[in-house]
């Protein structure tokens, strides 16, 4: 089975390259969407007067990757608060948007927009519209980054690293029923690939969090509900991004080297069963994009 969705995320070279790597994606095509005339050329669109947006058609198998997940992944590769500018590219042709060709997709996409709004605490400037027209780009723009090693890509390297990490964790723990084994494998992979200072899990046992599988320096063994970043994420059943640990009231310092932190709850039937805690030695290491990726990873654990 094949379905399709269209993403405008700035320069289409990087956006196509990213979606081509997503499991369940069957095909990608860069092109121009929602402009004012037929068969535009790159040079015409480049004048920024045509109404077209550089857009990637993503064809996918819904039994392998859901539309909701694709939209969520799309939100990690754009700056949803930047109007008509992504990376170094500026102009209406580089605006961001999700364009649907099947109207029944709208509620699913709207739900993802609502989650994004909540996550960033602001109104995203990303269009959500029906696809009015789409014209494939010239041959030289197809698979651009495969044909041009070292070619311009405005997407942060981090999203390609997370995509591989996410897909590898799914593959590695598939079929394993033991929760601790799944957490151990995930902690090792996240630590090795992303090179964070500390990566580990605390499991909910009774009225405390108890240290589980981790990678990095020795850490505190138990955390009470509501205490520290971990206990607060548990109590609120939500992800907490801490740009500067010194600014977080009640932060528990397991190491003086930790400067920023993110804690993501693992949920089963709406209840928190554990939290994933990641520390960095840099300030402001984590943002909404990290939160989306790590929540996707926690869903698989
Ligand atoms: N900083 C955490 C405690 C765990 S360590 O970072 C590994 C907190 O405040 O909950």
């Amino acid at each position: 089975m094949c379905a399709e969705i269209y993403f405008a995320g700035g320069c289409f070279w990087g956006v196509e390259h990213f979606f081509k790597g997503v499991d369940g994606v069957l095909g990608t095509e860069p092109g121009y969407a929602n402009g004012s005339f037929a068969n535009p050329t790159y040079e015409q669109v480049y004048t920024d007067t045509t109404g077209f947006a550089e857009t990637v058609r993503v064809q996918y198998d819904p039994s392998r990757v859901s539309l909701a997940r694709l939209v969520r992944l799309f939100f990690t590769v754009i700056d949803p608060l930047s109007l008509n500018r992504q990376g170094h590219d500026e102009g209406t042709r580089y605006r961001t948007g999700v364009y649907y060709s099947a109207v029944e997709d709208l509620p699913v996409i709207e739900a993802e927009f609502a989650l994004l709004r909540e996550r960033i605490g602001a109104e995203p400037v990303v269009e959500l519209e029906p696809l009015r027209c789409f014209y494939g780009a010239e041959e030289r723009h197809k698979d651009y980054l495969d044909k041009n090693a070292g070619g311009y890509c405005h997407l942060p390297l981090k999203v390609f690293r997370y995509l591989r990490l996410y897909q590898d964790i799914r593959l590695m723990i598939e079929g394993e029923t033991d929760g601790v084994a799944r957490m151990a494998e995930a902690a090792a992979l996240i630590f090795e690939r992303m090179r964070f200072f500390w990566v580990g899990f605390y499991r909910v046992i009774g009225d405390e969090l108890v240290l589980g599988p981790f990678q990095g320096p020795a850490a505190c063994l138990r955390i009470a509900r509501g205490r520290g970043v971990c206990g607060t994420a548990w109590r609120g059943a939500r992800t907490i991004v801490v740009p500067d640990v010194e600014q977080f009231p009640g932060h528990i310092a397991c190491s003086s080297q930790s400067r920023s932190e993110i804690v993501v709850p693992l949920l089963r039937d709406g209840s928190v069963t554990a939290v994933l805690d990641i520390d960095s030695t840099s300030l402001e290491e984590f943002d909404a994009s990290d939160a989306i990726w790590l929540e996707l990873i926690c869903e698989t654990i």
Side-chain angles (χ1 to χ4, degrees), residues 198 202 211 219-220 223 227-231 245 248 250-255 258 261 263 277 279:
W198 197 90
Y202 282 90
L211 184 62
C220 59
I223 299 172
R227 292 280 318 281
V229 187
C230 293
V245 294
F248 189 93
H251 167 259
I252 302 165
C254 291
S255 163
S258 171
E261 180 165 358
V263 178
D277 179 13
D279 289 34

Side-chain angles (χ1 to χ4, degrees), residues 8-27:
C11 174
F12 50 22
W13 295 340
V15 178
E16 187 197 20
H17 196 68
F18 175 80
F19 279 103
K20 227 175 1 175
V22 174
D23 285 346
V25 167
L26 305 172

